[in-house]
Amino acid sequence: MTDKDQFRPDDHDNDHFLLTTVVGSYPKPKWLNRAKELYEDPDHDFDAEDWQEAKDDAARLITAEHERAGLDAVVDGEMRRNEMVEFFAHRIEGYEFNGPVKVWGHNYFDKPSVVSDVEYTDSWLVDEYEFTASATDRPVKVPITGPYTLASWSFNEAYEDDAELAYALADLVNEEIEKLVDAGARYIQIDEPALATTPDDHAIVGECLERIVADIPEDVRIGLHVCYGDYSRIYPEILEFPVDEFDLELANGDYEQLDVFKDPEFTADLALGVTDVHVAEVESVEQIEENILKGLEVVPPEQLVVSPDCGVKLLPREVAYGKMANMVEAARNVEEELDEGLEIDRGAPTPAGD
């Protein structure tokens, strides 16, 4: 397992270290959305160079906001990305777009179709990573939408089934990670939000991950982000996945599924969601400390990572920042308590009715 201590800051005060990070997305500055409108307006002279500058400025700004919140590993908030499938589909040969599809209510998603064999052409994220790395002296985490979700959330018109499409996409993700590693990336997160919603597909994801990590150096930390769904469908099978860290949404369900991960023993690192991204209120430091302690019921401190449940892009920006800042403060407080000898009762599931 790749040790999270490689991301420990040199000036970290406590003996214990709970790595603090984010899942990926962050609210975009309002002016960036306005800049996009100007760029897409044929009657305006806001050109590609202006649009690039706006995205660069936003990425620099949000990276600094993550630093100011105190996060140990930062992301640029995905300032250059519009949507987690659409962004990648535009960059993969074999995809095409035929217009928006209604998802729920009045929400639409520009759902792509795979119309021919998928192929890797140019890098998807290396420029983004290199820019963010140049804007900070902290470790940069790179989120990538996983092949299972890229396949599941697209129309498949070219492959025998979604599994075959997912395996082909996994090979492309592997190529991209190799390029990111060559550029210096050491912390990669595969986003598979759809994993816990469909029974038995964990086997497909497992095969995808084997392809994704093929020939990736051991010092590169690979995380898997899963949100919503029934985790009992995927546990303990996911412990066989070749990843160092599982990033799980648990705060939103008030930790009702926490016991799922207590038996058998959780052998990977747990990136525990400790703030609820569906609630536009900043949890108190004390509340987040209590949530962190729940994670320590499942894994020891050396296996615990602290993050929000999911991306925070739909929150008001000041709320997103408040959640991050309080999360970091809570993690440092728990580290101090652990240094002073705090003991956590671990392992056994809570009996029903307790």
Side-chain angles (χ1 to χ4, degrees), residues 185-205:
R186 289 295 177 272
Y187 195 177
I188 310 288
Q189 174 186 288
I190 311 299
D191 292 330
E192 292 286 16
L195 171 57
T197 60
T198 310
D200 301 325
D201 279 2
H202 54 75
I204 298 172
V205 175

Side-chain angles (χ1 to χ4, degrees), residues 16 334-344:
H16 283 86
V334 173
E335 289 171 353
E336 285 184 29
E337 292 179 37
L338 290 166
D339 285 356
E340 292 166 3
L342 175 71
E343 294 187 12
I344 308 292

Side-chain angles (χ1 to χ4, degrees), residues 204-315:
I204 298 172
V205 175
E207 171 61 25
C208 285
L209 288 165
E210 293 288 351
R211 292 172 182 241
I212 285 169
V213 304
D215 301 321
I216 301 300
E218 286 189 6
D219 66 338
V220 175
R221 184 175 183 82
I222 303 290
L224 180 71
H225 172 61
V226 185
C227 51
Y228 64 83
D230 181 355
Y231 292 144
S232 67
R233 286 174 169 167
I234 61 174
Y235 193 82
E237 289 83 1
I238 59 171
L239 294 176
E240 300 299 318
F241 290 176
V243 300
D244 303 293
E245 167 189 300
F246 290 97
D247 194 308
L248 302 172
E249 175 190 40
L250 283 164
N252 178 244
D254 201 24
Y255 300 93
E256 288 178 0
Q257 296 195 71
L258 189 72
D259 281 355
V260 169
F261 303 105
K262 292 182 180 179
D263 186 24
E265 180 184 6
F266 200 93
T267 51
D269 284 0
L270 171 62
L272 181 75
V274 297
T275 65
D276 187 347
V277 305
H278 299 284
V279 176
E281 295 174 8
V282 178
E283 295 93 339
S284 68
V285 172
E286 293 75 20
Q287 179 60 59
I288 299 174
E289 287 174 18
E290 288 181 24
N291 294 348
I292 292 171
L293 295 179
K294 287 182 169 63
L296 290 172
E297 295 175 19
V298 178
V299 294
E302 56 271 20
Q303 287 172 237
L304 188 65
V305 175
V306 176
S307 79
D309 261 353
C310 205
V312 297
K313 70 178 182 180
L314 297 180
L315 292 170

Side-chain angles (χ1 to χ4, degrees), residues 59 61 84 102 126 148 150 153 159 172 198 217 227 232 238 248 260 290 296 305 329 338 341 350:
L61 178 70
M84 66 182 302
K102 194 170 188 177
V126 169
Y148 176 76
L150 285 172
W153 293 1
Y159 287 80
L172 307 193
T198 310
C227 51
S232 67
I238 59 171
L248 302 172
V260 169
E290 288 181 24
L296 290 172
V305 175
E329 186 178 343
L338 290 166
T350 305

Side-chain angles (χ1 to χ4, degrees), residues 7 9 17 19-26 59-78 81 128-129 131-143 185-189 305-306 308 324 327-328:
F7 305 118
F17 174 53
L19 172 66
T20 59
T21 187
V22 284
V23 171
S25 71
Y26 198 81
R60 201 180 283 114
L61 178 70
I62 299 307
T63 302
E65 203 154 296
H66 284 175
E67 286 182 333
R68 194 166 78 249
L71 293 168
D72 299 307
V74 301
V75 180
D76 75 348
E78 301 182 0
R81 309 189 196 183
E128 174 188 290
Y129 166 75
F131 184 92
T132 308
S134 73
T136 182
D137 58 3
R138 302 199 188 183
V140 175
K141 181 163 79 169
V142 184
R186 289 295 177 272
Y187 195 177
I188 310 288
Q189 174 186 288
V305 175
V306 176
M324 301 307 98
M327 183 182 80
V328 172

